[in-house]
Each structure stands twice: as structure tokens, then as C-alpha cells.
Amino acid sequence: MTTYTGVVVPFGIAFDGVNMWTANSGNNSVTKITPTGTMTTYTGTGAVPFGIALDGVNMWTANKNGNSVTKISPTGTMTTYVGTGAIPYGIAFDGVNMWTANSGNNSVTKITPTGTMTTYIGTGVRPVEIAFDGVNMWTANYDNNSVTKISLAKITLNWQIPSYDGGSAITNYEIYRGASSGGEIFLIEVGDILSYVDMGISDGVTYYYKVAAKNLFGIGAQSNEVSVIAQ
């Protein structure tokens, strides 16, 4: 064994193909360590970086106290994006996007290369690590001895405003999903928007959907049914 000192409270570690990198939770920094142990530290990540992962070019940290991620170029240039789920611990790459495991609200957040974020709630309790199996993301859930598989298959639903709103403006839409025709049950209520991306599904499976508008007077009739194969 050979131990190299010089990092401040390192929590995560990752490999870029040549060098090792640590996420240093003690001083909001990352350190690049060459194979011979030479260290270069770059400061300026979000608050308390825990996880660290490579996207093929850049390192990324999940910053526990700032609900953020920081992208670090090979030369140490940093860009921080705020808006993950609460208390991100782990971070992983799916080949296109980064994902964080958010221990504070049992969720994962997908972060595009430009920093656009989408959070999905519903993992086991307190996910602290996340990994990619080539198809799905997985979280390790600390507080209930479980793992959660997150399918990357998705279905994008689009609909139109009802031709008649009953005299009161539409405020929300309810979405219903089923595994068989006519078997839809309530899935989620969204705001006054006309699209929804459903991620809680399995690749190659056919799903059935209906949508109903909601306003001050209540919930309107459900739309015609549509079926979509997840991919």
C-alpha cells in the first residue's frame, strides 16, 4: 500500500482514465491525483461535495449541502448547476446524462450536459449511492435495506385544452395509466400544462392513458384512451 496525503475530508473518488479524483467535502474542492501521487486541488464546487463521477470528459460532483452538481473540466474550470432533489449524495453517468441519488427526499435527478434537471420521486428510503447497469439506474437505499431500479424508458404524453371549460379556467390535469385497455387508474396530477413525461415504466411494455381536466367546479370527463409502447 501507498498512502498519499493532502486532501481535505475526501468523501468520493473516481477515475478519469489516467488520474484519480476526489470530492473533498471539507473545503468544497476536488483533487486530481496522478499515478505517482502528485496532487492538484481545484476549489469552487457547490457546498460539501460528496459523490464524484466522470462523464467521459469532465468530472461531476454531487454537492450535499447545496442541492447542486458541479461540472469540472480536465483543467479545473467549474460550472455549478442548482436544483437537484434534496441532499444529493451519489452521482453516476448513463452515457448521456448525469444522475444524482437524493437522500433528503427519496428521489433521483437527471442532469443533461447543459444542466437541465428533472427529478423523479419514489426510491426507497434515503438513497445514498447510484449506479448505471447499461440500461437502468439503481440506487442503494440506506434506511430501509433496499435498492431501487429506475427504468430509463419513457413515454411523452401531449394533449389539448378542452373545447369547453364549463365557465371556469382549467387549473390542473389528472393523468390515468393502466396496463390494459380500460384499466387506467390515477397516476399523477399536474398543473396547467399540456404534456407529461412518464418515467415510471418498463421498456417494451404497452401502457394505456387517459387525461382529465380540472377546474374550480371539479374534474371533467376523461379523454379518449391512447396506448403507447414504452421505449
Side-chain angles (χ1 to χ4, degrees):
M1 296 184 187
T2 305
T3 297
Y4 304 101
T5 59
V7 293
V8 181
V9 195
F11 199 91
I13 190 167
F15 184 52
D16 70 4
V18 177
N19 306 294
M20 301 303 300
W21 291 72
T22 59
N24 308 317
S25 61
N27 67 345
N28 300 336
S29 71
V30 294
T31 298
K32 179 174 68 176
I33 306 107
T34 70
T36 59
T38 300
M39 297 186 183
T40 305
T41 295
Y42 305 100
T43 59
T45 68
V48 189
F50 263 32
I52 187 168
L54 178 72
D55 70 3
V57 176
N58 308 288
M59 302 304 297
W60 291 70
T61 61
N63 308 314
K64 170 180 173 286
N65 284 12
N67 298 340
S68 69
V69 294
T70 299
K71 179 171 66 175
I72 305 104
S73 76
T75 58
T77 300
M78 298 189 185
T79 306
T80 295
Y81 304 100
V82 179
T84 68
I87 314 180
Y89 267 60
I91 189 167
F93 184 52
D94 72 3
V96 178
N97 306 294
M98 302 304 298
W99 290 73
T100 59
N102 309 314
S103 64
N105 66 341
N106 303 334
S107 71
V108 294
T109 298
K110 179 178 69 175
I111 306 104
T112 70
T114 58
T116 300
M117 298 187 185
T118 307
T119 295
Y120 306 98
I121 296 174
T123 67
V125 181
R126 198 181 172 196
V128 293
E129 289 294 344
I130 187 166
F132 182 53
D133 70 4
V135 178
N136 309 289
M137 303 304 298
W138 291 74
T139 60
N141 309 313
Y142 185 85
D143 279 359
N144 70 338
N145 300 329
S146 69
V147 296
T148 301
K149 180 172 70 173
I150 302 103
S151 171
L152 300 192
K154 65 180 180 180
I155 290 174
T156 301
L157 302 173
N158 297 283
W159 58 89
Q160 296 179 340
I161 299 172
S163 58
Y164 179 61
D165 62 14
S168 178
I170 303 300
T171 58
N172 300 83
Y173 291 90
E174 291 192 351
I175 300 171
Y176 301 81
R177 183 183 71 197
S180 61
S181 180
E184 294 87 357
I185 61 174
F186 176 78
L187 173 64
I188 193 170
E189 181 176 304
V190 298
D192 184 17
I193 57 177
L194 299 176
S195 65
Y196 174 74
V197 178
D198 188 7
M199 290 284 291
I201 53 180
S202 299
D203 190 38
V205 174
T206 300
Y207 293 89
Y208 299 81
Y209 295 90
K210 293 181 179 179
V211 177
K214 186 176 182 180
N215 64 12
L216 181 64
F217 300 132
I219 303 167
Q222 295 182 2
S223 66
N224 293 332
E225 179 182 80
V226 297
S227 63
V228 187
I229 299 175
Q231 58 183 359

